[in-house]
Coordinates of all heavy atoms in Angstrom, one line a residue:
M13 N 0.8 -1.2 0.0 CA 0.0 0.0 0.0 C 0.9 1.2 0.0 O 1.9 1.3 0.7 CB -0.9 0.0 1.2 CG -1.9 1.1 1.3 SD -3.1 0.8 2.6 CE -4.0 2.3 2.6
S14 N 0.5 2.2 -0.8 CA 1.3 3.4 -1.0 C 1.2 4.3 0.2 O 0.1 4.4 0.8 CB 0.9 4.2 -2.2 OG 1.5 5.4 -2.3
D15 N 2.3 5.0 0.6 CA 2.2 6.0 1.6 C 2.0 7.4 1.1 O 2.1 8.4 1.8 CB 3.5 6.0 2.5 CG 3.6 4.7 3.3 OD1 2.6 4.1 3.6 OD2 4.8 4.3 3.5
V16 N 1.8 7.5 -0.2 CA 1.6 8.8 -0.9 C 0.2 9.0 -1.2 O -0.5 8.1 -1.7 CB 2.5 8.9 -2.2 CG1 2.2 10.2 -2.9 CG2 3.9 8.7 -1.9
T17 N -0.3 10.2 -0.9 CA -1.7 10.5 -1.2 C -1.7 11.8 -2.0 O -1.0 12.8 -1.7 CB -2.5 10.8 0.1 OG1 -2.5 9.6 0.9 CG2 -4.0 11.2 -0.3
I18 N -2.4 11.8 -3.1 CA -2.6 13.1 -3.9 C -4.1 13.4 -3.8 O -4.9 12.7 -4.2 CB -2.2 12.8 -5.4 CG1 -0.8 12.3 -5.4 CG2 -2.4 14.1 -6.2 CD1 -0.3 11.9 -6.8
K19 N -4.3 14.7 -3.4 CA -5.6 15.1 -3.1 C -5.9 16.4 -3.9 O -5.1 17.3 -3.9 CB -5.8 15.4 -1.6 CG -7.2 15.9 -1.3 CD -7.3 16.0 0.2 CE -8.7 16.5 0.6 NZ -8.8 16.7 2.1
T20 N -7.0 16.4 -4.6 CA -7.4 17.7 -5.4 C -8.0 18.7 -4.4 O -8.6 18.3 -3.4 CB -8.4 17.4 -6.5 OG1 -9.6 16.9 -5.9 CG2 -7.9 16.4 -7.5
R21 N -7.7 19.9 -4.6 CA -8.3 21.0 -3.8 C -9.3 21.7 -4.7 O -8.9 22.0 -5.9 CB -7.2 22.0 -3.3 CG -6.3 21.5 -2.3 CD -6.9 21.3 -0.9 NE -7.7 22.4 -0.5 CZ -7.2 23.4 0.3 NH1 -5.9 23.3 0.7 NH2 -7.9 24.4 0.6
E22 N -10.4 22.0 -4.2 CA -11.4 22.7 -5.0 C -10.9 24.0 -5.5 O -10.4 24.8 -4.7 CB -12.7 22.9 -4.2 CG -13.8 23.5 -5.0 CD -15.1 23.6 -4.2 OE1 -15.1 23.2 -3.0 OE2 -16.1 24.0 -4.8
N23 N -10.8 24.2 -6.8 CA -10.3 25.4 -7.4 C -8.9 25.7 -7.1 O -8.5 26.9 -7.0 CB -11.2 26.6 -7.1 CG -12.7 26.4 -7.5 OD1 -13.0 25.8 -8.4 ND2 -13.6 26.9 -6.6
G24 N -8.1 24.6 -6.8 CA -6.8 24.9 -6.3 C -5.8 23.8 -6.8 O -6.1 23.0 -7.7
P25 N -4.7 23.6 -6.1 CA -3.6 22.7 -6.5 C -3.9 21.2 -6.2 O -4.9 20.9 -5.6 CB -2.5 23.2 -5.6 CG -3.1 23.7 -4.4 CD -4.4 24.3 -4.8
L26 N -2.9 20.4 -6.5 CA -2.9 19.0 -6.1 C -2.0 19.0 -4.9 O -0.9 19.4 -4.9 CB -2.3 18.2 -7.2 CG -3.0 18.1 -8.5 CD1 -2.2 17.3 -9.5 CD2 -4.4 17.5 -8.3
L27 N -2.5 18.5 -3.8 CA -1.8 18.3 -2.6 C -1.2 16.9 -2.5 O -1.9 16.0 -2.5 CB -2.6 18.6 -1.3 CG -3.2 20.0 -1.2 CD1 -4.0 20.1 0.1 CD2 -2.0 21.0 -1.2
V28 N 0.1 16.9 -2.5 CA 0.8 15.6 -2.4 C 1.4 15.4 -1.0 O 2.1 16.2 -0.5 CB 1.9 15.5 -3.5 CG1 2.6 14.1 -3.5 CG2 1.4 15.9 -4.9
S29 N 1.0 14.3 -0.4 CA 1.4 14.0 1.0 C 2.1 12.7 1.0 O 1.6 11.7 0.4 CB 0.3 13.9 1.9 OG -0.4 15.2 1.9
G30 N 3.3 12.6 1.6 CA 4.0 11.4 1.7 C 5.4 11.5 1.1 O 5.8 12.5 0.6
P31 N 6.1 10.4 1.2 CA 7.5 10.4 0.7 C 7.6 10.4 -0.8 O 7.3 9.3 -1.4 CB 8.1 9.2 1.3 CG 7.0 8.2 1.5 CD 5.8 9.1 1.8
I32 N 7.9 11.5 -1.5 CA 8.0 11.5 -2.9 C 9.3 12.0 -3.4 O 10.0 12.7 -2.6 CB 6.9 12.4 -3.6 CG1 7.0 13.9 -3.2 CG2 5.5 11.9 -3.2 CD1 6.3 14.8 -4.0
T33 N 9.7 11.8 -4.6 CA 10.8 12.4 -5.3 C 10.2 13.1 -6.5 O 9.4 12.6 -7.3 CB 11.8 11.3 -5.9 OG1 12.3 10.6 -4.7 CG2 12.9 12.0 -6.6
L34 N 10.5 14.4 -6.6 CA 9.9 15.3 -7.6 C 11.1 15.8 -8.5 O 12.0 16.4 -7.9 CB 9.2 16.5 -7.0 CG 8.5 17.5 -8.0 CD1 7.5 16.8 -8.8 CD2 7.9 18.6 -7.2
C35 N 11.0 15.5 -9.7 CA 12.1 15.8 -10.7 C 11.6 16.7 -11.8 O 10.4 16.7 -12.1 CB 12.7 14.6 -11.3 SG 13.3 13.3 -10.2
D36 N 12.5 17.5 -12.3 CA 12.2 18.3 -13.5 C 12.3 17.4 -14.8 O 12.6 16.2 -14.7 CB 13.1 19.6 -13.6 CG 14.6 19.2 -13.8 OD1 14.9 18.1 -14.2 OD2 15.4 20.2 -13.6
H37 N 12.1 18.0 -16.0 CA 12.2 17.2 -17.2 C 13.5 16.6 -17.5 O 13.7 15.8 -18.4 CB 11.6 18.0 -18.3 CG 12.4 19.1 -18.8 ND1 12.5 20.3 -18.1 CD2 13.3 19.2 -19.8 CE1 13.3 21.1 -18.7 NE2 13.8 20.5 -19.7
L38 N 14.6 17.1 -16.8 CA 15.9 16.6 -17.0 C 16.3 15.5 -16.0 O 17.4 15.0 -16.1 CB 16.9 17.7 -17.0 CG 16.7 18.8 -18.1 CD1 17.7 20.0 -17.8 CD2 16.9 18.2 -19.5
G39 N 15.4 15.3 -15.1 CA 15.7 14.3 -14.0 C 16.3 14.9 -12.8 O 16.7 14.2 -11.9
N40 N 16.5 16.2 -12.7 CA 17.0 16.9 -11.5 C 16.0 16.9 -10.4 O 14.8 17.3 -10.7 CB 17.5 18.3 -11.9 CG 18.5 18.4 -12.9 OD1 19.5 17.7 -12.8 ND2 18.3 19.1 -14.0
K41 N 16.4 16.5 -9.2 CA 15.5 16.4 -8.1 C 15.3 17.8 -7.4 O 16.3 18.5 -7.1 CB 16.0 15.4 -7.1 CG 16.0 14.0 -7.6 CD 16.6 13.1 -6.6 CE 16.7 11.7 -7.2 NZ 17.3 10.7 -6.2
Y42 N 14.0 18.1 -7.2 CA 13.8 19.3 -6.3 C 14.1 18.9 -4.9 O 13.9 17.8 -4.4 CB 12.3 19.7 -6.4 CG 11.9 20.3 -7.7 CD1 11.4 19.6 -8.8 CD2 12.1 21.7 -7.9 CE1 11.1 20.2 -10.0 CE2 11.8 22.3 -9.1 CZ 11.3 21.5 -10.1 OH 11.0 22.1 -11.3
D43 N 14.6 19.9 -4.1 CA 15.0 19.7 -2.7 C 13.7 19.9 -1.9 O 13.2 21.0 -1.7 CB 16.0 20.7 -2.3 CG 16.4 20.5 -0.8 OD1 15.9 19.5 -0.2 OD2 17.2 21.3 -0.3
L44 N 13.1 18.8 -1.5 CA 11.9 18.8 -0.7 C 12.2 18.4 0.8 O 11.4 18.0 1.5 CB 10.9 17.8 -1.2 CG 10.5 18.0 -2.7 CD1 9.5 16.9 -3.1 CD2 9.9 19.4 -2.9
T45 N 13.5 18.7 1.2 CA 13.9 18.4 2.6 C 13.0 19.0 3.6 O 12.7 20.2 3.5 CB 15.3 18.8 2.8 OG1 16.2 18.2 1.8 CG2 15.8 18.5 4.2
G46 N 12.5 18.2 4.5 CA 11.6 18.7 5.6 C 10.2 19.0 5.2 O 9.4 19.4 6.0
K47 N 9.8 18.7 3.9 CA 8.4 19.0 3.5 C 7.7 17.7 3.5 O 8.0 16.7 2.8 CB 8.4 19.6 2.1 CG 9.0 21.0 2.0 CD 8.9 21.5 0.6 CE 9.6 22.9 0.5 NZ 8.9 24.0 0.8
E48 N 6.6 17.6 4.2 CA 5.8 16.5 4.3 C 4.6 16.6 3.3 O 4.0 15.6 2.9 CB 5.2 16.2 5.7 CG 6.3 15.9 6.7 CD 5.7 15.7 8.1 OE1 4.5 15.6 8.2 OE2 6.5 15.6 9.0
N49 N 4.3 17.8 2.9 CA 3.3 18.1 1.9 C 3.8 19.0 0.8 O 4.5 19.9 1.2 CB 2.0 18.7 2.6 CG 1.5 17.8 3.7 OD1 1.1 16.7 3.4 ND2 1.6 18.3 4.9
V50 N 3.4 18.8 -0.4 CA 3.7 19.7 -1.5 C 2.5 20.0 -2.3 O 1.7 19.1 -2.6 CB 4.8 19.0 -2.4 CG1 5.1 19.8 -3.6 CG2 6.0 18.6 -1.7
A51 N 2.3 21.3 -2.6 CA 1.2 21.7 -3.4 C 1.6 21.9 -4.9 O 2.5 22.8 -5.1 CB 0.5 22.9 -2.9
L52 N 1.1 21.2 -5.8 CA 1.5 21.3 -7.2 C 0.5 22.0 -8.0 O -0.7 21.7 -7.9 CB 1.7 19.9 -7.8 CG 2.9 19.1 -7.2 CD1 2.9 17.7 -7.9 CD2 4.2 19.8 -7.3
C53 N 0.9 23.1 -8.7 CA 0.0 23.9 -9.5 C -0.7 23.1 -10.6 O -0.1 22.3 -11.3 CB 0.7 25.1 -10.1 SG -0.3 26.1 -11.1
R54 N -2.0 23.3 -10.7 CA -2.7 22.7 -11.9 C -3.5 23.8 -12.6 O -4.3 23.5 -13.5 CB -3.6 21.5 -11.5 CG -4.7 21.9 -10.5 CD -5.5 20.6 -10.3 NE -6.6 20.9 -9.3 CZ -7.8 20.3 -9.3 NH1 -8.1 19.5 -10.3 NH2 -8.7 20.6 -8.4
C55 N -3.3 25.1 -12.2 CA -4.1 26.1 -12.9 C -3.2 26.8 -14.0 O -3.7 27.4 -14.9 CB -4.5 27.2 -11.9 SG -3.2 28.3 -11.3
G56 N -1.9 26.6 -13.9 CA -0.9 27.2 -14.9 C -0.5 28.6 -14.6 O 0.3 29.2 -15.3
A57 N -1.0 29.2 -13.5 CA -0.8 30.7 -13.3 C 0.4 30.9 -12.3 O 0.8 32.1 -12.2 CB -2.0 31.3 -12.8
T58 N 0.9 29.9 -11.7 CA 1.9 30.1 -10.7 C 3.2 30.7 -11.3 O 3.5 30.4 -12.5 CB 2.3 28.8 -10.0 OG1 3.2 29.0 -9.0 CG2 2.8 27.7 -11.0
Q59 N 3.9 31.4 -10.5 CA 5.3 31.9 -10.9 C 6.4 31.0 -10.4 O 7.5 31.3 -10.5 CB 5.4 33.3 -10.4 CG 4.4 34.3 -11.0 CD 4.6 34.4 -12.6 OE1 5.6 34.6 -13.1 NE2 3.4 34.1 -13.2
K60 N 6.0 29.9 -9.7 CA 6.9 29.0 -9.0 C 6.7 27.6 -9.5 O 6.8 26.6 -8.7 CB 6.8 29.1 -7.5 CG 7.1 30.4 -6.9 CD 6.7 30.5 -5.4 CE 6.8 29.2 -4.7 NZ 6.5 29.2 -3.2
R61 N 6.5 27.4 -10.8 CA 6.3 26.0 -11.3 C 7.4 25.1 -10.9 O 8.5 25.4 -10.9 CB 6.2 26.1 -12.8 CG 5.0 26.8 -13.3 CD 5.0 26.8 -14.8 NE 3.8 27.5 -15.3 CZ 3.5 27.7 -16.5 NH1 4.2 27.3 -17.5 NH2 2.4 28.4 -16.8
P62 N 7.0 23.9 -10.5 CA 5.7 23.3 -10.6 C 4.8 23.5 -9.3 O 3.8 22.9 -9.2 CB 6.0 21.8 -10.7 CG 7.2 21.6 -9.9 CD 8.0 22.9 -10.1
F63 N 5.3 24.4 -8.4 CA 4.6 24.5 -7.1 C 3.5 25.6 -7.2 O 3.6 26.6 -7.9 CB 5.6 24.9 -6.0 CG 6.7 23.9 -5.9 CD1 8.0 24.2 -6.5 CD2 6.5 22.7 -5.3 CE1 9.0 23.2 -6.4 CE2 7.5 21.7 -5.2 CZ 8.8 22.0 -5.8
C64 N 2.5 25.4 -6.4 CA 1.4 26.4 -6.3 C 1.9 27.6 -5.5 O 2.6 27.4 -4.5 CB 0.3 25.8 -5.5 SG -1.1 26.9 -5.0
D65 N 1.6 28.8 -6.0 CA 2.0 30.0 -5.2 C 0.8 30.8 -4.8 O 0.9 32.0 -4.4 CB 2.9 30.9 -6.0 CG 2.3 31.5 -7.3 OD1 1.1 31.2 -7.5 OD2 3.0 32.3 -7.9
G66 N -0.4 30.2 -4.9 CA -1.6 30.9 -4.6 C -2.3 31.7 -5.7 O -3.4 32.2 -5.5
S67 N -1.7 31.7 -6.9 CA -2.3 32.5 -8.0 C -3.6 32.0 -8.4 O -4.4 32.7 -9.0 CB -1.3 32.5 -9.2 OG -0.1 33.2 -8.8
H68 N -3.9 30.7 -8.1 CA -5.2 30.1 -8.5 C -6.4 30.9 -7.9 O -7.5 30.9 -8.5 CB -5.3 28.7 -8.1 CG -5.2 28.4 -6.7 ND1 -4.0 28.2 -6.1 CD2 -6.1 28.4 -5.7 CE1 -4.2 28.0 -4.8 NE2 -5.5 28.2 -4.5
K69 N -6.1 31.6 -6.8 CA -7.2 32.4 -6.2 C -7.6 33.6 -6.9 O -8.7 34.1 -6.8 CB -6.7 32.8 -4.8 CG -6.4 31.6 -3.9 CD -5.8 32.1 -2.5 CE -5.4 30.9 -1.7 NZ -4.6 31.4 -0.5
T70 N -6.7 34.1 -7.8 CA -7.0 35.3 -8.5 C -7.1 35.2 -10.1 O -7.5 36.1 -10.7 CB -6.0 36.4 -8.2 OG1 -4.7 35.9 -8.6 CG2 -6.0 36.8 -6.8
C71 N -6.8 34.0 -10.6 CA -6.8 33.8 -12.0 C -8.1 33.2 -12.6 O -8.2 33.1 -13.8 CB -5.6 32.9 -12.5 SG -5.8 31.2 -12.1
G72 N -9.0 32.9 -11.7 CA -10.3 32.4 -12.2 C -10.4 30.9 -12.4 O -11.3 30.4 -13.0
F73 N -9.3 30.2 -11.9 CA -9.3 28.8 -12.1 C -10.4 28.1 -11.4 O -10.7 28.4 -10.2 CB -8.0 28.2 -11.6 CG -7.8 26.7 -11.7 CD1 -7.8 26.1 -12.9 CD2 -7.7 26.0 -10.6 CE1 -7.6 24.7 -13.0 CE2 -7.6 24.6 -10.7 CZ -7.5 24.0 -11.9
Q74 N -11.1 27.2 -12.1 CA -12.2 26.5 -11.5 C -12.0 25.0 -11.7 O -11.8 24.6 -12.9 CB -13.6 26.9 -12.0 CG -13.9 28.3 -11.7 CD -15.3 28.7 -12.1 OE1 -15.9 28.2 -13.0 NE2 -15.9 29.7 -11.4
A75 N -12.1 24.2 -10.7 CA -12.0 22.7 -10.8 C -12.6 22.2 -9.5 O -12.1 22.4 -8.4 CB -10.6 22.3 -11.0
A76 N -13.7 21.5 -9.7 CA -14.4 21.0 -8.5 C -14.8 19.5 -8.7 O -15.9 19.1 -8.2 CB -15.6 21.8 -8.1
E77 N -14.0 18.8 -9.5 CA -14.3 17.4 -9.8 C -14.4 16.6 -8.5 O -13.7 16.9 -7.5 CB -13.4 16.8 -10.8 CG -11.9 16.8 -10.3 CD -11.2 18.1 -10.4 OE1 -11.1 18.6 -11.5 OE2 -10.7 18.5 -9.3
I78 N -15.2 15.6 -8.6 CA -15.3 14.6 -7.5 C -15.3 13.2 -8.0 O -15.5 13.0 -9.2 CB -16.6 14.8 -6.6 CG1 -17.8 14.7 -7.5 CG2 -16.6 16.2 -5.9 CD1 -19.1 14.7 -6.7
V79 N -15.0 12.3 -7.2 CA -14.9 10.9 -7.6 C -16.3 10.4 -8.0 O -17.2 10.5 -7.2 CB -14.3 10.0 -6.5 CG1 -14.4 8.5 -6.9 CG2 -12.9 10.4 -6.1
P80 N -16.5 9.8 -9.2 CA -17.8 9.3 -9.6 C -18.2 8.2 -8.7 O -17.3 7.3 -8.3 CB -17.6 8.8 -11.0 CG -16.2 9.3 -11.5 CD -15.5 9.7 -10.2
T81 N -19.4 8.1 -8.3 CA -19.9 7.0 -7.4 C -20.5 5.9 -8.2 O -20.6 4.8 -7.6 CB -20.9 7.6 -6.4 OG1 -22.0 8.2 -7.2 CG2 -20.3 8.6 -5.5
S82 N -20.8 6.0 -9.4 CA -21.6 5.0 -10.1 C -20.8 4.3 -11.3 O -21.2 3.3 -11.8 CB -22.8 5.5 -10.7 OG -22.6 6.6 -11.6
A83 N -19.6 4.9 -11.7 CA -18.9 4.3 -12.8 C -17.4 4.2 -12.4 O -16.8 5.1 -11.8 CB -19.1 5.2 -14.0
P84 N -16.8 3.1 -12.8 CA -15.4 2.9 -12.5 C -14.6 3.8 -13.5 O -15.1 4.3 -14.5 CB -15.1 1.5 -12.8 CG -16.2 1.0 -13.7 CD -17.4 1.9 -13.4
L85 N -13.3 4.1 -13.2 CA -12.5 4.9 -14.0 C -12.3 4.3 -15.4 O -12.2 3.2 -15.6 CB -11.1 5.2 -13.4 CG -11.1 6.0 -12.1 CD1 -9.7 6.1 -11.6 CD2 -11.7 7.4 -12.4
Ligands
FES107 S1 -3.0 25.8 -8.4 FE1 -2.3 27.3 -7.1 S2 -1.2 28.7 -8.4 FE2 -1.9 27.2 -9.7

């Protein structure tokens, strides 16, 4: 069982909790020392990619998806 959880935030980022390695497209690892949670931008407006900087609050990003209860993925 995985110790990593990824949770969507309504109109906001993806919250990643647990032991992860986050790399750029070249394979370089971001220093996440001491961070138990990481917020990854999914609105595209952040100035700190790939991390959320709170810009989703002012750019009009909307995302409120929920897990379907009647159909599998
Ligand atoms: S989700 Fe927060 S800045 Fe994009």
